[in-house]
Amino acid sequence: MGGVLSTVVAAIVGRLCRQTPRFTYHHPLDDASIRLLRFQQPRWYTFRLTRPTLSIGACSIDSLPKYVALSYTWGPPRKDATGYSPGDTAPVLIDGRAFPVSRNLNDALDTLYWAWDFNDDVQHLWIDAICINQDDETERATQVSIMDRIYKRASSTCVWLGKNDSSWEARRLIRRITNVPAEEFAPYHHQCPPPDSFWHSRQLPCPDDEAGWAPIRRFFNNRWFGRAWVIQEVMLSRNIYVFWGSFWMRWDDLGHLALAARVARLGELDVLPALMQRLSGVEVESESETQDWAVHDPVVNTFHLWLHRHQYQQRMEDAGKSADSMAQEMRAITGGASNSPICWLVYFCLTHRWAEASDPRDKVFGLLGLVTHLVDEDSDRLPITPTYSADFTHTQLYTQAMERLVQETGSLAVLVAINDPPSLRHPSLPSWVPDLSRLHGLDLMWSIRPRFQANGSHHSLSSDALESGGSRETDGTPAMECVGIEGKCLHAKGTVITTVGSLGPSASDFFGPSWYSWADQLVQLDPVYSATKESRVEAFWRTILMNSVAKKYPAAWSTKSSNTDTPHPFRAYILQSMSRSFPGQGSDTSENGKDGFRRGTETLNRLAESDFSGCMPTFNSLVEFVSQVTGSSMEDAKTVPEENVAAALIAIIDRAADFVMGMDGSMVNRRIVFSTDGYIANVPLWTEERDKICIFQSCPCPLVLRSHDGEPGCYTLVGSAYVHGIMFGEAIDDTTRWDIMSVI
């Protein structure tokens, strides 16, 4: 009865609001004032049937009363939400006049109205859709420029995810997760999920229990988690409370929940659809798969947002007195040697490309407030002035930001973090300017330590010097002279190292029915990789991982396989793949399938014959395979019990997971190629044969370039490259010829 009556009253109030004069703004705001709302207390006899009514007034930014800032999604709370139509609004009364708000904001106001403590000393509310005249471009730009102060000075920030239409089971599961100390989840963050006993003992569903984790997946599917403006709002706010309908939690509880979901690997089974199809035996065009899993995983994005807020707040409290991991990361990505505004701005733009914005300019403007509190006192307050003029497009904005960064730093290090498919780039943007409006992850090549210096140590500062704020100069010549910009053309001194000869495997190729196809290409190389004197097999797997495991360089796995209890992860991967593809149950038992398997094993055996690293097993018979899996002799392998073989295979699979998980970052949207000079390289997925791999004086990593319309010395950027054996200047000496190369 109460629900029906509430609906009837809401309809009547809505009709009355539509007959009420519309609200109008009387005076525009400048950067010294903001508007604040205040709820009008309902009468006691309304029985929760009255719609929210508010008053509004302007306040000086320097003498603000205590207030709550609202963070929410302008559109529907979820993409699959029902009852929400595009452009659908509901009227609320402000100073007795009707003001149309989105359905989601109306839901938030209803919830807050009846949860509001009218006896508390915090009685004001700030909501961007109401407190800023969205139709006034000048006021909108002015208020955006002080958004940092609005959220930083709020007593608290209320995050509204949307209505909670889930059952009480979702709340119970969230409470159970947050009751488990974070320290118990933390050891498994970068490892395989804990055993089932871990989850059972804490009354939590196991990772493979899809129904058990469904409420948490639904929770993170709320669109708020992918909104661009929330990044600044979250990082600057003092206290954050997250509302999902009437259910609420503190911000640290949300971080706790995201950590648990990460450990349970929620969402990561959707890492690469092409990969998962191949694991199921379905042939797909892997080259068409150009989505970065981190972009589409709100669990990962939320955890990183929680982590970045912690780093940001710690830096603000510490004032840079102790180790500053955020500043070190910023300098590594941008190539900047100081805490300049433009370096910070581009850093935030690139590390948060996963976020969505209805106005693509807000992918930059929505982060300006973060910069203000991080730059030196004598720096300009903002590196870019926000404007919403129709004459200033998002492509002009993105180009302006990159131009200022490159001109200020004289470095092309930022290009290492950009990995955009050429076919999806905006036609108005140069290839060296990322299209921030496109959701895309940050290429993880920049994160490998120690920092790569393929351009030679004498051409760029060491990572330690950069992270301590050293001055970037090269042999007394400012690095600025190595880089120049003319229109949309970037000029820099570089040298061509090699040319892409043939395309090798992408991530999905390592798991499909023809997982061994890479062996046909590898066997054509010299048994000894000339750049490092390693075996070609060792050079191959190190290139796959960019010679890094858990962001540590070089990959710290043993290359010996004498201890069969702990085989090398790459060897374990091959053994696991052999067991999965052996003609029999669950695999291709046709004659073509058997012939393909025989041809594949013949090539693998040829590699093993000349492999002195111990990473390549052989496969001449089933008995030999059992011998290698179990570590028993050929004679004993004939009588090994099946249960012992099964147990050994489980151990092999666990060890192979170390290699496969290492590919999470190193092979996302990337592939292996073989150059005309015998190099093995890890390059962007969209690299083509005859592309050039070049080293620039002002860039620490090689770059893949493509000739532009046959113009000599003119190229478009394809992306960054890991070339095994030359990442620390081995290909550069005093005889290297540096030419002016143009990238457009």
Side-chain angles (χ1 to χ4, degrees), residues 128-139:
D128 58 353
I130 303 175
C131 295
I132 301 175
N133 185 354
Q134 301 295 327
D135 295 327
D136 186 333
E137 291 182 354
T138 302
E139 178 178 303

Side-chain angles (χ1 to χ4, degrees), residues 89-109:
T89 61
V92 296
L93 288 176
I94 300 177
D95 286 344
R97 293 178 175 268
F99 190 104
V101 299
S102 68
R103 288 288 179 182
N104 190 41
L105 176 53
N106 185 66
D107 294 339
L109 287 171

